[in-house]
Amino acid sequence: MSRLRTTSGRGTASRVISGIGAVFALIEVLYILMIVLGANTGNAFFRFVASLAEPLALFFPGLFQTGNYNVDVLLNYGLAAVFWLVVTGLLARAVSRY
């Protein structure tokens, strides 16, 4: 006899929240890689990713100014990616518990 495993709505909501955070962080990392590796800024795909990454970076762009543009992008947008992972992780944990 096998038992059917049921998942709660909280578990599903928790996974969705974590997934959204991972997607947001992935967009930020993709933008960082395209800047650091010298992608063509006139490319439509670059502009699309930039149009997603810049609003998701919230207040982080300009937070660190080292004098090197690539390092600035790495620090500021990398911090935004970590922010999304941490915040959505905490939200997912809170949703799954209550």
Side-chain angles (χ1 to χ4, degrees):
M1 236 163 112
S2 67
R3 290 185 170 188
L4 294 176
R5 182 177 169 192
T6 60
T7 59
S8 70
R10 292 180 304 206
T12 301
S14 175
R15 285 191 296 278
V16 167
I17 292 169
S18 294
I20 289 171
V23 168
F24 285 2
L26 181 66
I27 291 168
E28 298 295 341
V29 169
L30 183 58
Y31 181 70
I32 292 167
L33 288 174
M34 290 192 322
I35 292 290
V36 170
L37 296 176
N40 177 6
T41 58
N43 184 298
F45 181 69
F46 177 86
R47 288 193 313 262
F48 172 71
V49 171
S51 72
L52 296 174
E54 289 170 1
L56 289 175
L58 303 173
F59 55 85
F60 292 105
L63 189 61
F64 294 104
Q65 296 178 354
T66 63
N68 182 332
Y69 180 70
N70 287 343
V71 173
D72 292 349
V73 169
L74 180 66
L75 287 172
N76 295 321
Y77 287 86
L79 190 57
V82 170
F83 168 81
W84 284 115
L85 290 174
V86 169
V87 168
T88 56
L90 292 172
L91 284 172
R93 181 177 290 182
V95 166
S96 69
R97 285 189 180 178
Y98 299 104

Coordinates of all heavy atoms in Angstrom, one line a residue:
M1 N 0.8 -1.2 0.0 CA 0.0 0.0 0.0 C 0.9 1.2 0.0 O 1.8 1.3 0.7 CB -0.8 0.0 1.3 CG -2.3 0.1 1.0 SD -3.2 -0.4 2.4 CE -3.9 1.1 2.9
S2 N 0.5 2.2 -0.8 CA 1.3 3.4 -0.8 C 0.5 4.6 -0.3 O -0.7 4.6 -0.5 CB 1.8 3.7 -2.2 OG 0.7 4.0 -3.0
R3 N 1.1 5.4 0.3 CA 0.5 6.6 0.9 C 0.6 7.8 -0.1 O 1.7 8.0 -0.7 CB 1.1 7.0 2.2 CG 0.7 6.1 3.3 CD 1.3 6.6 4.6 NE 0.8 5.8 5.7 CZ 0.9 6.1 6.9 NH1 1.6 7.2 7.2 NH2 0.5 5.3 7.8
L4 N -0.4 8.5 -0.3 CA -0.3 9.7 -1.1 C 0.2 10.8 -0.2 O -0.3 11.1 0.9 CB -1.7 10.1 -1.6 CG -2.3 9.1 -2.6 CD1 -3.7 9.6 -3.0 CD2 -1.5 9.0 -3.8
R5 N 1.2 11.5 -0.7 CA 1.8 12.6 0.0 C 1.1 13.9 -0.4 O 1.1 14.2 -1.6 CB 3.3 12.7 -0.3 CG 4.0 13.7 0.5 CD 5.4 13.7 0.2 NE 6.0 14.9 0.8 CZ 7.2 15.3 0.5 NH1 8.0 14.6 -0.3 NH2 7.6 16.5 1.0
T6 N 0.6 14.6 0.5 CA 0.0 15.9 0.2 C 0.9 17.0 0.7 O 1.5 16.9 1.8 CB -1.4 16.0 0.9 OG1 -1.2 15.9 2.3 CG2 -2.3 14.9 0.4
T7 N 1.0 18.0 0.0 CA 1.7 19.2 0.4 C 0.8 20.3 0.8 O -0.3 20.4 0.2 CB 2.7 19.7 -0.7 OG1 1.9 20.0 -1.9 CG2 3.7 18.6 -1.1
S8 N 1.2 21.1 1.7 CA 0.4 22.2 2.1 C 0.6 23.3 1.2 O 1.5 23.5 0.5 CB 0.8 22.6 3.6 OG 2.0 23.2 3.6
G9 N -0.4 24.2 1.2 CA -0.3 25.4 0.4 C 0.8 26.3 0.9 O 1.4 27.0 0.1
R10 N 1.2 26.2 2.2 CA 2.3 27.0 2.7 C 3.6 26.5 2.0 O 4.5 27.3 1.7 CB 2.4 26.9 4.2 CG 1.3 27.6 4.9 CD 1.4 27.4 6.4 NE 1.5 26.0 6.7 CZ 1.2 25.4 7.8 NH1 0.8 26.2 8.8 NH2 1.3 24.1 8.0
G11 N 3.8 25.2 1.9 CA 5.0 24.7 1.2 C 5.1 25.2 -0.2 O 6.2 25.5 -0.7
T12 N 4.0 25.2 -0.9 CA 4.0 25.6 -2.3 C 4.3 27.1 -2.4 O 5.1 27.5 -3.2 CB 2.6 25.3 -2.9 OG1 2.4 23.9 -2.9 CG2 2.6 25.8 -4.4
A13 N 3.7 27.9 -1.5 CA 3.9 29.3 -1.5 C 5.4 29.6 -1.1 O 6.0 30.5 -1.7 CB 3.0 30.0 -0.5
S14 N 6.0 28.9 -0.2 CA 7.4 29.0 0.1 C 8.3 28.8 -1.0 O 9.2 29.5 -1.3 CB 7.7 28.1 1.3 OG 9.0 28.1 1.6
R15 N 8.0 27.7 -1.8 CA 8.8 27.4 -3.0 C 8.7 28.5 -4.1 O 9.6 28.8 -4.7 CB 8.5 26.0 -3.5 CG 9.0 24.9 -2.7 CD 8.9 23.5 -3.3 NE 7.5 23.2 -3.6 CZ 6.7 22.6 -2.6 NH1 7.2 22.4 -1.4 NH2 5.5 22.3 -2.9
V16 N 7.5 29.0 -4.2 CA 7.3 30.1 -5.2 C 8.1 31.3 -4.8 O 8.7 31.9 -5.7 CB 5.8 30.4 -5.4 CG1 5.5 31.6 -6.2 CG2 5.0 29.2 -6.1
I17 N 8.0 31.7 -3.6 CA 8.7 32.9 -3.1 C 10.2 32.7 -3.3 O 10.9 33.6 -3.8 CB 8.4 33.2 -1.6 CG1 6.9 33.6 -1.5 CG2 9.3 34.2 -1.1 CD1 6.4 33.7 -0.1
S18 N 10.7 31.5 -3.0 CA 12.2 31.2 -3.1 C 12.5 31.2 -4.6 O 13.6 31.7 -5.0 CB 12.5 29.9 -2.6 OG 12.4 29.9 -1.2
G19 N 11.7 30.7 -5.5 CA 11.9 30.7 -6.9 C 12.0 32.1 -7.5 O 12.8 32.4 -8.3
I20 N 11.1 33.0 -7.0 CA 11.1 34.4 -7.5 C 12.4 35.1 -7.1 O 13.0 35.8 -7.9 CB 9.9 35.1 -6.9 CG1 8.6 34.6 -7.6 CG2 10.0 36.6 -7.1 CD1 7.3 35.1 -7.0
G21 N 12.8 34.8 -5.9 CA 14.1 35.4 -5.4 C 15.3 34.9 -6.3 O 16.2 35.7 -6.6
A22 N 15.3 33.6 -6.6 CA 16.3 33.1 -7.4 C 16.3 33.7 -8.8 O 17.4 34.0 -9.4 CB 16.2 31.5 -7.5
V23 N 15.2 33.9 -9.4 CA 15.1 34.5 -10.7 C 15.6 35.9 -10.7 O 16.3 36.4 -11.5 CB 13.6 34.4 -11.2 CG1 13.4 35.3 -12.5 CG2 13.2 33.0 -11.6
F24 N 15.2 36.7 -9.6 CA 15.7 38.1 -9.5 C 17.2 38.1 -9.4 O 17.8 38.9 -10.0 CB 15.0 38.7 -8.3 CG 13.6 39.1 -8.5 CD1 12.9 38.9 -9.6 CD2 12.9 39.8 -7.5 CE1 11.6 39.2 -9.8 CE2 11.6 40.2 -7.6 CZ 10.9 39.9 -8.8
A25 N 17.7 37.2 -8.6 CA 19.2 37.2 -8.4 C 19.9 36.7 -9.7 O 20.9 37.3 -10.0 CB 19.5 36.2 -7.3
L26 N 19.3 35.8 -10.4 CA 19.8 35.4 -11.7 C 19.9 36.5 -12.7 O 20.9 36.7 -13.4 CB 19.0 34.2 -12.3 CG 19.5 33.6 -13.6 CD1 20.9 33.0 -13.4 CD2 18.5 32.6 -14.1
I27 N 18.9 37.4 -12.7 CA 18.8 38.5 -13.6 C 20.0 39.5 -13.3 O 20.7 40.0 -14.1 CB 17.5 39.2 -13.5 CG1 16.4 38.4 -14.2 CG2 17.5 40.6 -14.2 CD1 15.0 38.9 -13.9
E28 N 20.2 39.7 -12.0 CA 21.3 40.6 -11.5 C 22.6 40.0 -11.9 O 23.5 40.7 -12.4 CB 21.2 40.8 -10.0 CG 20.0 41.5 -9.5 CD 19.8 42.9 -10.0 OE1 20.8 43.5 -10.5 OE2 18.7 43.4 -9.9
V29 N 22.8 38.7 -11.7 CA 24.1 38.0 -12.1 C 24.3 38.1 -13.6 O 25.5 38.3 -14.0 CB 24.1 36.6 -11.5 CG1 25.3 35.8 -12.1 CG2 24.2 36.6 -10.0
L30 N 23.3 37.8 -14.3 CA 23.4 37.9 -15.8 C 23.9 39.3 -16.3 O 24.7 39.5 -17.1 CB 22.1 37.5 -16.5 CG 22.1 37.4 -18.0 CD1 23.1 36.4 -18.5 CD2 20.7 37.0 -18.4
Y31 N 23.3 40.3 -15.6 CA 23.6 41.7 -16.0 C 25.1 42.0 -15.6 O 25.8 42.6 -16.4 CB 22.7 42.7 -15.2 CG 23.0 44.1 -15.5 CD1 22.7 44.7 -16.8 CD2 23.5 44.9 -14.6 CE1 22.9 46.0 -17.0 CE2 23.7 46.3 -14.8 CZ 23.5 46.8 -16.1 OH 23.7 48.1 -16.3
I32 N 25.5 41.5 -14.4 CA 26.9 41.7 -14.0 C 27.8 41.0 -15.0 O 28.8 41.6 -15.5 CB 27.1 41.1 -12.6 CG1 26.4 41.9 -11.6 CG2 28.6 41.0 -12.3 CD1 26.4 41.2 -10.2
L33 N 27.5 39.8 -15.4 CA 28.4 39.1 -16.3 C 28.5 39.8 -17.7 O 29.5 39.9 -18.3 CB 27.9 37.6 -16.5 CG 28.1 36.7 -15.4 CD1 27.5 35.3 -15.6 CD2 29.6 36.5 -15.1
M34 N 27.3 40.3 -18.2 CA 27.4 41.0 -19.5 C 28.2 42.2 -19.4 O 28.9 42.6 -20.3 CB 25.9 41.2 -19.9 CG 25.2 39.9 -20.3 SD 23.7 40.1 -21.2 CE 22.8 41.5 -20.5
I35 N 28.1 43.0 -18.3 CA 28.9 44.2 -18.2 C 30.4 43.9 -18.1 O 31.2 44.4 -18.8 CB 28.5 45.0 -16.9 CG1 27.1 45.6 -17.1 CG2 29.5 46.1 -16.6 CD1 27.0 46.7 -18.1
V36 N 30.7 42.9 -17.2 CA 32.1 42.6 -16.9 C 32.8 42.0 -18.1 O 34.0 42.2 -18.4 CB 32.3 41.7 -15.7 CG1 33.7 41.1 -15.5 CG2 31.8 42.5 -14.4
L37 N 32.0 41.2 -18.9 CA 32.6 40.5 -20.0 C 32.5 41.4 -21.3 O 33.0 40.9 -22.4 CB 31.9 39.2 -20.3 CG 32.1 38.1 -19.1 CD1 31.3 36.9 -19.4 CD2 33.6 37.8 -18.9
G38 N 32.0 42.6 -21.2 CA 32.0 43.5 -22.3 C 31.0 43.3 -23.4 O 31.3 43.4 -24.6
A39 N 29.8 42.9 -23.0 CA 28.7 42.7 -24.0 C 28.4 44.0 -24.7 O 28.6 45.1 -24.2 CB 27.4 42.2 -23.3
N40 N 27.9 43.9 -25.9 CA 27.5 45.0 -26.7 C 26.3 45.7 -26.1 O 25.2 45.1 -26.1 CB 27.2 44.5 -28.2 CG 26.7 45.6 -29.1 OD1 26.7 46.8 -28.7 ND2 26.4 45.2 -30.3
T41 N 26.4 46.9 -25.6 CA 25.3 47.6 -24.9 C 24.2 48.0 -25.9 O 23.1 48.3 -25.4 CB 25.8 48.8 -24.2 OG1 26.4 49.7 -25.1 CG2 26.8 48.4 -23.1
G42 N 24.4 47.9 -27.2 CA 23.4 48.3 -28.2 C 22.5 47.1 -28.5 O 21.5 47.2 -29.2
N43 N 22.9 45.9 -28.0 CA 22.2 44.7 -28.3 C 20.8 44.7 -27.7 O 20.7 45.1 -26.5 CB 23.0 43.5 -27.9 CG 22.4 42.2 -28.2 OD1 21.4 41.8 -27.8 ND2 23.2 41.4 -29.0
A44 N 19.8 44.2 -28.3 CA 18.5 44.1 -27.8 C 18.4 43.3 -26.5 O 17.7 43.6 -25.6 CB 17.5 43.7 -28.8
F45 N 19.1 42.1 -26.5 CA 19.0 41.3 -25.4 C 19.7 42.0 -24.2 O 19.1 41.9 -23.0 CB 19.7 39.9 -25.6 CG 19.7 39.0 -24.5 CD1 18.5 38.4 -24.1 CD2 20.9 38.7 -23.8 CE1 18.5 37.5 -23.0 CE2 20.8 37.9 -22.7 CZ 19.6 37.3 -22.3
F46 N 20.8 42.7 -24.4 CA 21.4 43.4 -23.3 C 20.5 44.5 -22.8 O 20.3 44.6 -21.5 CB 22.7 44.1 -23.8 CG 23.4 44.9 -22.7 CD1 24.2 44.3 -21.8 CD2 23.1 46.2 -22.6 CE1 24.8 45.1 -20.8 CE2 23.7 47.0 -21.6 CZ 24.5 46.4 -20.7
R47 N 19.8 45.2 -23.6 CA 18.9 46.2 -23.2 C 17.7 45.6 -22.4 O 17.3 46.2 -21.4 CB 18.4 47.0 -24.4 CG 19.4 48.0 -25.0 CD 18.9 49.0 -25.9 NE 17.9 48.4 -26.9 CZ 18.2 48.1 -28.2 NH1 19.5 48.2 -28.6 NH2 17.3 47.6 -29.0
F48 N 17.3 44.5 -22.8 CA 16.2 43.8 -22.1 C 16.6 43.4 -20.7 O 15.9 43.7 -19.7 CB 15.7 42.6 -22.9 CG 14.7 41.7 -22.2 CD1 13.4 42.1 -22.0 CD2 15.1 40.5 -21.7 CE1 12.5 41.4 -21.3 CE2 14.2 39.7 -21.0 CZ 12.9 40.1 -20.8
V49 N 17.8 42.8 -20.6 CA 18.3 42.4 -19.3 C 18.5 43.6 -18.4 O 18.2 43.6 -17.2 CB 19.5 41.5 -19.4 CG1 20.2 41.2 -18.1 CG2 19.2 40.2 -20.1
A50 N 19.1 44.6 -19.0 CA 19.3 45.9 -18.2 C 18.0 46.5 -17.7 O 18.0 47.0 -16.6 CB 20.1 46.9 -19.1
S51 N 17.0 46.4 -18.6 CA 15.7 47.0 -18.2 C 15.1 46.2 -17.0 O 14.2 46.8 -16.3 CB 14.7 47.1 -19.4 OG 14.3 45.8 -19.7
L52 N 15.4 45.0 -16.9 CA 15.0 44.2 -15.7 C 15.9 44.4 -14.5 O 15.4 44.5 -13.4 CB 14.9 42.7 -16.1 CG 13.9 42.3 -17.2 CD1 14.1 40.8 -17.5 CD2 12.5 42.6 -16.7
A53 N 17.2 44.4 -14.7 CA 18.2 44.4 -13.6 C 18.2 45.7 -12.9 O 18.3 45.8 -11.7 CB 19.5 44.1 -14.2
E54 N 18.1 46.8 -13.6 CA 18.2 48.1 -13.0 C 17.1 48.4 -12.0 O 17.4 48.8 -10.9 CB 18.3 49.2 -14.1 CG 19.7 49.1 -14.8 CD 19.8 50.0 -16.0 OE1 18.8 50.7 -16.3 OE2 20.9 50.0 -16.6
P55 N 15.8 48.2 -12.3 CA 14.8 48.4 -11.2 C 14.9 47.4 -10.1 O 14.7 47.7 -8.9 CB 13.5 48.2 -11.9 CG 13.8 48.2 -13.4 CD 15.2 47.9 -13.5
L56 N 15.4 46.2 -10.4 CA 15.5 45.2 -9.3 C 16.7 45.5 -8.4 O 16.7 45.0 -7.3 CB 15.7 43.8 -9.9 CG 14.5 43.2 -10.6 CD1 14.8 41.8 -11.2 CD2 13.4 43.0 -9.6
A57 N 17.6 46.3 -8.8 CA 18.8 46.6 -8.0 C 18.4 47.6 -6.9 O 19.2 47.8 -6.0 CB 19.9 47.2 -8.9
L58 N 17.2 48.2 -6.9 CA 16.7 49.1 -5.9 C 17.6 50.2 -5.7 O 17.9 51.0 -6.6 CB 16.4 48.3 -4.6 CG 15.4 47.1 -4.8 CD1 15.3 46.3 -3.5 CD2 14.0 47.6 -5.2
F59 N 18.1 50.4 -4.5 CA 18.9 51.5 -4.1 C 20.4 51.1 -4.1 O 21.3 52.0 -3.7 CB 18.6 52.0 -2.7 CG 18.6 50.9 -1.6 CD1 19.8 50.5 -1.0 CD2 17.4 50.2 -1.3 CE1 19.8 49.5 -0.1 CE2 17.4 49.2 -0.4 CZ 18.6 48.8 0.2
F60 N 20.8 50.0 -4.5 CA 22.2 49.5 -4.5 C 23.1 50.2 -5.5 O 24.3 50.4 -5.2 CB 22.3 48.0 -4.6 CG 21.7 47.3 -3.4 CD1 20.5 46.7 -3.5 CD2 22.4 47.3 -2.2 CE1 19.9 46.0 -2.4 CE2 21.9 46.7 -1.1 CZ 20.6 46.0 -1.2
P61 N 22.7 50.5 -6.7 CA 23.6 51.1 -7.7 C 24.1 52.5 -7.1 O 23.3 53.3 -6.6 CB 22.8 51.3 -8.9 CG 21.8 50.2 -8.9 CD 21.4 50.1 -7.4
G62 N 25.4 52.7 -7.1 CA 25.9 53.9 -6.6 C 26.3 53.8 -5.1 O 26.9 54.7 -4.6
L63 N 26.0 52.7 -4.5 CA 26.3 52.5 -3.1 C 27.8 52.5 -2.9 O 28.4 53.1 -2.0 CB 25.7 51.3 -2.6 CG 25.7 51.0 -1.1 CD1 25.0 52.2 -0.3 CD2 25.0 49.7 -0.7
F64 N 28.5 51.7 -3.7 CA 30.0 51.6 -3.7 C 30.5 52.3 -5.0 O 30.1 52.0 -6.1 CB 30.4 50.2 -3.7 CG 30.1 49.5 -2.4 CD1 29.0 48.6 -2.4 CD2 30.8 49.7 -1.2 CE1 28.7 47.9 -1.2 CE2 30.4 49.1 0.0 CZ 29.4 48.2 0.0
Q65 N 31.5 53.2 -4.8 CA 32.2 53.8 -5.9 C 33.7 53.7 -5.8 O 34.3 54.4 -5.0 CB 31.8 55.3 -6.0 CG 30.3 55.4 -6.3 CD 29.9 56.9 -6.3 OE1 30.6 57.8 -6.1 NE2 28.6 57.1 -6.7
T66 N 34.2 52.7 -6.4 CA 35.7 52.3 -6.3 C 36.5 53.1 -7.3 O 37.7 53.1 -7.2 CB 35.9 50.8 -6.4 OG1 35.5 50.4 -7.7 CG2 35.1 50.1 -5.4
G67 N 35.9 53.6 -8.3 CA 36.7 54.2 -9.4 C 36.8 53.3 -10.6 O 37.2 53.7 -11.7
N68 N 36.5 52.0 -10.4 CA 36.5 51.1 -11.5 C 35.1 50.7 -11.8 O 34.4 50.1 -10.9 CB 37.4 49.9 -11.1 CG 37.5 48.8 -12.2 OD1 36.6 48.7 -13.1 ND2 38.6 48.1 -12.2
Y69 N 34.6 51.0 -13.0 CA 33.2 50.7 -13.3 C 32.8 49.2 -13.2 O 31.8 48.9 -12.6 CB 32.9 51.2 -14.8 CG 31.5 51.0 -15.2 CD1 30.4 51.7 -14.6 CD2 31.1 50.0 -16.1 CE1 29.1 51.5 -15.0 CE2 29.8 49.8 -16.5 CZ 28.8 50.5 -15.9 OH 27.5 50.3 -16.2
N70 N 33.7 48.3 -13.7 CA 33.3 46.9 -13.6 C 33.2 46.4 -12.1 O 32.4 45.7 -11.7 CB 34.3 46.1 -14.3 CG 34.2 46.2 -15.8 OD1 33.2 46.6 -16.3 ND2 35.2 45.8 -16.5
V71 N 34.1 46.9 -11.3 CA 34.1 46.5 -9.8 C 32.9 47.1 -9.2 O 32.2 46.5 -8.4 CB 35.4 47.0 -9.1 CG1 35.3 46.8 -7.6 CG2 36.6 46.3 -9.7
D72 N 32.5 48.4 -9.6 CA 31.3 49.0 -9.0 C 30.1 48.2 -9.4 O 29.2 48.0 -8.5 CB 31.1 50.4 -9.6 CG 32.2 51.4 -9.1 OD1 32.9 51.0 -8.1 OD2 32.3 52.5 -9.6
V73 N 30.0 47.8 -10.6 CA 28.8 47.0 -11.1 C 28.8 45.6 -10.3 O 27.7 45.2 -9.8 CB 28.8 46.7 -12.6 CG1 27.8 45.7 -13.0 CG2 28.6 48.0 -13.3
L74 N 29.9 45.0 -10.2 CA 30.0 43.7 -9.5 C 29.6 43.9 -8.0 O 28.8 43.1 -7.5 CB 31.5 43.2 -9.5 CG 31.7 41.9 -8.8 CD1 31.0 40.8 -9.5 CD2 33.2 41.6 -8.8
L75 N 30.1 44.9 -7.3 CA 29.7 45.1 -5.9 C 28.2 45.5 -5.8 O 27.5 44.9 -5.0 CB 30.6 46.2 -5.3 CG 32.0 45.8 -5.0 CD1 32.8 47.1 -4.6 CD2 32.1 44.7 -4.0
N76 N 27.8 46.5 -6.5 CA 26.4 47.0 -6.3 C 25.3 46.0 -6.8 O 24.4 45.8 -6.0 CB 26.3 48.4 -7.0 CG 27.2 49.4 -6.4 OD1 27.3 49.5 -5.2 ND2 27.8 50.2 -7.3
Y77 N 25.5 45.5 -7.9 CA 24.5 44.6 -8.4 C 24.6 43.2 -7.8 O 23.6 42.5 -7.6 CB 24.5 44.5 -10.0 CG 24.0 45.7 -10.6 CD1 24.7 46.8 -10.8 CD2 22.6 45.8 -11.0 CE1 24.2 48.0 -11.4 CE2 22.1 47.0 -11.5 CZ 22.9 48.0 -11.7 OH 22.4 49.2 -12.3
G78 N 25.8 42.8 -7.4 CA 26.0 41.6 -6.7 C 25.4 41.7 -5.3 O 24.7 40.7 -4.8
L79 N 25.5 42.8 -4.7 CA 24.8 43.0 -3.4 C 23.3 42.9 -3.5 O 22.6 42.4 -2.7 CB 25.2 44.3 -2.8 CG 24.8 44.6 -1.3 CD1 25.4 43.5 -0.4 CD2 25.4 46.0 -0.9
A80 N 22.8 43.5 -4.6 CA 21.3 43.4 -4.9 C 20.9 41.9 -5.1 O 19.9 41.5 -4.6 CB 21.0 44.2 -6.1
A81 N 21.7 41.1 -5.8 CA 21.4 39.7 -5.9 C 21.4 39.0 -4.6 O 20.4 38.2 -4.3 CB 22.4 39.1 -6.9
V82 N 22.3 39.3 -3.7 CA 22.4 38.6 -2.4 C 21.2 39.1 -1.6 O 20.5 38.3 -0.9 CB 23.7 39.0 -1.7 CG1 23.6 38.5 -0.2 CG2 24.9 38.3 -2.4
F83 N 20.8 40.4 -1.7 CA 19.7 40.9 -1.0 C 18.4 40.2 -1.4 O 17.6 39.8 -0.5 CB 19.5 42.4 -1.4 CG 18.2 43.0 -1.0 CD1 18.0 43.4 0.3 CD2 17.1 43.1 -1.9 CE1 16.8 44.0 0.7 CE2 15.9 43.7 -1.5 CZ 15.7 44.1 -0.2
W84 N 18.2 39.9 -2.7 CA 17.0 39.2 -3.1 C 16.9 37.8 -2.6 O 15.9 37.3 -2.2 CB 16.8 39.2 -4.6 CG 16.3 40.6 -5.1 CD1 17.0 41.4 -5.9 CD2 15.1 41.2 -4.8 NE1 16.2 42.6 -6.1 CE2 15.0 42.4 -5.4 CE3 13.9 40.8 -4.1 CZ2 13.9 43.3 -5.4 CZ3 12.9 41.6 -4.0 CH2 12.9 42.9 -4.6
L85 N 18.1 37.1 -2.6 CA 18.2 35.7 -2.1 C 17.9 35.7 -0.6 O 17.1 34.8 -0.1 CB 19.5 35.1 -2.4 CG 19.8 34.8 -3.8 CD1 21.2 34.3 -4.0 CD2 18.8 33.8 -4.4
V86 N 18.4 36.6 0.2 CA 18.2 36.7 1.6 C 16.8 37.0 2.0 O 16.1 36.3 2.8 CB 19.2 37.6 2.3 CG1 18.9 37.8 3.8 CG2 20.6 37.1 2.2
V87 N 16.3 38.1 1.4 CA 14.9 38.5 1.7 C 13.9 37.5 1.3 O 13.0 37.2 2.2 CB 14.6 39.9 1.0 CG1 13.2 40.3 1.1 CG2 15.5 41.0 1.7
T88 N 14.0 37.0 0.1 CA 13.0 36.0 -0.2 C 13.1 34.7 0.5 O 12.2 34.0 0.8 CB 13.0 35.7 -1.8 OG1 14.3 35.3 -2.2 CG2 12.6 36.9 -2.5
G89 N 14.4 34.4 0.9 CA 14.6 33.2 1.8 C 13.9 33.4 3.1 O 13.3 32.4 3.7
L90 N 14.1 34.5 3.7 CA 13.4 34.8 5.0 C 11.9 34.8 4.9 O 11.2 34.3 5.7 CB 13.9 36.2 5.6 CG 15.4 36.2 6.0 CD1 15.8 37.7 6.3 CD2 15.6 35.3 7.2
L91 N 11.4 35.4 3.8 CA 9.9 35.4 3.6 C 9.4 34.0 3.4 O 8.4 33.6 3.9 CB 9.6 36.2 2.4 CG 9.6 37.7 2.5 CD1 9.4 38.4 1.2 CD2 8.5 38.2 3.5
A92 N 10.2 33.2 2.6 CA 9.7 31.8 2.4 C 9.7 31.0 3.7 O 8.8 30.2 3.9 CB 10.7 31.1 1.4
R93 N 10.7 31.2 4.5 CA 10.8 30.5 5.8 C 9.6 30.9 6.7 O 9.0 30.1 7.4 CB 12.1 30.8 6.5 CG 12.2 30.1 7.8 CD 13.6 30.3 8.5 NE 14.6 29.6 7.7 CZ 15.8 29.6 8.0 NH1 16.3 30.2 9.0 NH2 16.7 28.9 7.2
A94 N 9.3 32.2 6.7 CA 8.2 32.7 7.5 C 6.9 32.2 7.0 O 6.0 31.8 7.8 CB 8.2 34.3 7.5
V95 N 6.7 32.1 5.7 CA 5.5 31.6 5.2 C 5.3 30.1 5.5 O 4.2 29.6 5.8 CB 5.4 31.8 3.6 CG1 4.3 31.0 3.0 CG2 5.2 33.3 3.4
S96 N 6.4 29.3 5.4 CA 6.3 27.9 5.6 C 6.1 27.6 7.1 O 5.5 26.5 7.4 CB 7.6 27.2 5.2 OG 8.7 27.5 6.0
R97 N 6.4 28.4 8.0 CA 6.2 28.2 9.4 C 4.8 28.5 9.9 O 4.3 27.9 10.9 CB 7.3 29.0 10.3 CG 8.6 28.4 10.2 CD 9.5 29.0 11.2 NE 10.8 28.4 11.1 CZ 11.9 28.8 11.8 NH1 11.7 29.8 12.6 NH2 13.0 28.2 11.7
Y98 N 4.2 29.5 9.4 CA 3.0 30.0 9.9 C 1.8 29.8 9.0 O 1.7 29.8 7.9 CB 3.0 31.5 10.2 CG 4.1 31.8 11.3 CD1 5.3 32.4 10.9 CD2 3.9 31.5 12.6 CE1 6.3 32.6 11.9 CE2 4.8 31.7 13.5 CZ 6.0 32.3 13.2 OH 6.9 32.5 14.1

